[in-house]
Amino acid sequence: MTLQTVADQVGVSRMTVSNAFSRPDQLSAELRARILAAAEELGYIGPDPAARALARGTTGAVGVLLTDSVGAAFQDDVATGFFGALAEELAPTGMAVALLPSGGSADKIPARDVPIDGALVYACAGDAEALGWLQKRRLPLVFVDQAPTGGADAVLLDDVEGGRLGAQHLLDLGHRRVGLLTMGSQGRASGLVEPREAGSANYVAAERVRGWLGALEPAGAQVLAVQMHENTEDAAHEGATVLLEAADRPTGIVCFSDRMAYGAVRAAHDLGLRVPEDVSVVGYDDSPLASRVRPSLTTVRQDVAEKGRAAARVLTAAIERARTGVPSEGRVVRLPAELVVRRSTGPAPDEVRTAADDA
């Protein structure tokens, strides 16, 4: 079944039938209705998408390059919230979203092979081979939760300020022994590390560590840092256990994510410690988990929905500039972070506050 079949049935040209599907404003409502009815009767679903994309010079799709597998991304509340807001913002434009895993095989590389008009680089390692393929294709790129390269646009959370807010909250409660629980790259050992070497996994982890230390170091706090290879509750449980079994254990812990914070709460309970009476825990993201667990988590909120919407707006603008030959602006949209205080934090234990006062 082809355009010509429908055209012959209705008694119009092939172009008129094509316009009924792709440029409805060119036809009267009555004529378009007749064409679509004939097409449905004949079993014709419309012009071939590949041919239409070739004729228009656009695919009608954007990519999202992921750090992990697609399956892993959908186990993360923050990532799924971001994807949902992104898709909703793009819906009126008619653009679809293609999720591109960083990995692939020798003959199947999504970042190289999937037809897209542009892409979001979502918290992906800067040296990822997949990112290299997108750059070779000269596609408009927008970096999300990742420092931009090549003059590309970016949508970033103010993670340094967010980290500072969480650490300052513990300082204001009298905590002077503070643990950092964060992400480390696969090439680095897990477990205890020098605080300034923590957060080696990615841009976001490094920025949050900068924020924590920016508050803790000037206050003279004693800092222990642990980094783990996975942002999971089990990995965080293991890392927090290392912190809490230290000879001079911290009375407060700031965590890379709410998932890690919940793992830290579990570790404290398993060691017979009370949260927040013996140890306070601060998460990050304000994901649904933060208010669901007990005790509810003090955390640093990021507006995940606005991040998704902003990413869609910046990417569509970048694609339009590329179509019209306007150079990239290197624009950075930076979203604020906000401290949300709940029940997982409280004053430092009395003996610790007394020692700090005496000092």
Side-chain angles (χ1 to χ4, degrees):
M1 204 61 59
T2 67
L3 276 173
Q4 190 62 56
T5 310
V6 180
D8 292 341
Q9 175 81 356
V10 182
V12 296
S13 68
R14 292 177 70 256
M15 180 59 71
T16 300
V17 175
S18 177
N19 286 342
F21 286 93
S22 57
R23 301 176 66 190
D25 58 305
Q26 301 296 305
L27 307 178
S28 69
E30 185 275 333
L31 177 56
R32 182 168 187 259
R34 281 202 297 125
I35 292 172
L36 295 180
E40 183 175 359
E41 179 184 342
L42 294 167
Y44 178 71
I45 63 171
D48 178 69
R52 189 187 305 178
L54 187 61
R56 290 181 173 180
T58 176
T59 67
V62 298
V64 180
L65 182 62
L66 304 172
T67 304
D68 300 312
S69 69
V70 173
F74 277 96
Q75 295 174 17
D76 185 332
D77 288 339
V78 174
T80 55
F82 172 79
F83 297 148
L86 171 69
E88 285 184 3
E89 188 73 14
L90 288 173
T93 72
M95 301 187 80
V97 179
L99 302 182
L100 310 174
S102 296
S105 60
D107 58 341
K108 293 181 180 179
I109 303 174
R112 181 193 65 191
D113 301 331
V114 174
I116 50 177
D117 294 325
L120 298 174
V121 181
Y122 183 61
C124 186
D127 59 353
E129 183 181 4
L131 174 56
W133 282 113
L134 293 177
Q135 292 170 328
K136 289 175 184 177
R137 293 173 65 178
R138 300 186 182 278
L139 290 168
L141 301 179
V142 174
F143 288 72
V144 181
D145 291 344
Q146 174 66 47
T149 62
D153 298 336
V155 176
L156 306 173
L157 181 68
D158 192 348
D159 279 304
V160 173
E161 175 62 8
R164 189 198 68 78
L165 287 171
Q168 187 61 49
H169 175 62
L170 291 182
L171 292 172
D172 292 344
L173 290 169
H175 297 271
R176 291 300 180 270
R177 297 202 305 266
V178 179
L180 316 182
L181 186 55
T182 187
M183 292 282 293
S185 62
Q186 291 292 339
R188 305 279 186 92
S190 61
L192 282 169
V193 294
E194 287 296 319
R196 286 184 169 270
E197 296 177 5
S200 61
N202 53 40
Y203 169 85
V204 171
E207 291 289 278
R208 293 178 186 181
V209 169
R210 279 182 57 204
W212 293 335
L213 295 181
L216 297 171
E217 289 182 338
Q222 179 182 337
V223 180
L224 283 178
V226 164
Q227 61 181 17
M228 307 303 292
H229 292 155
E230 294 181 323
N231 180 25
T232 64
E233 294 165 21
D234 288 343
H237 184 284
E238 179 184 344
T241 300
V242 173
L243 288 172
L244 295 173
E245 288 184 336
D248 212 6
R249 68 169 177 82
T251 63
I253 301 175
V254 286
C255 303
F256 171 78
S257 69
D258 293 332
R259 294 174 78 180
M260 283 201 164
Y262 182 47
V265 170
R266 285 177 45 213
H269 289 165
D270 288 349
L271 292 171
L273 299 173
R274 299 166 299 165
V275 177
E277 292 83 358
D278 299 315
V279 59
S280 289
V281 177
V282 179
Y284 207 112
D285 294 327
D286 196 22
S287 66
L289 176 69
S291 56
R292 190 167 63 235
V293 301
R294 293 294 178 266
S296 56
L297 297 175
T298 292
T299 186
V300 176
R301 181 177 186 268
Q302 60 164 311
D303 191 337
V304 175
E306 177 54 27
K307 185 165 69 174
R309 292 190 292 264
R313 293 192 296 266
V314 175
L315 182 57
T316 52
I319 292 171
E320 183 59 30
R321 287 198 307 271
R323 286 174 181 163
T324 56
V326 177
S328 173
E329 300 174 350
R331 176 189 177 200
V332 175
V333 175
R334 196 173 296 275
L335 303 175
E338 174 190 2
L339 180 70
V340 178
V341 178
R342 294 195 180 96
R343 303 188 65 178
S344 66
T345 53
D350 289 340
E351 65 272 16
V352 176
R353 294 176 65 87
T354 301
D357 293 340
D358 293 344

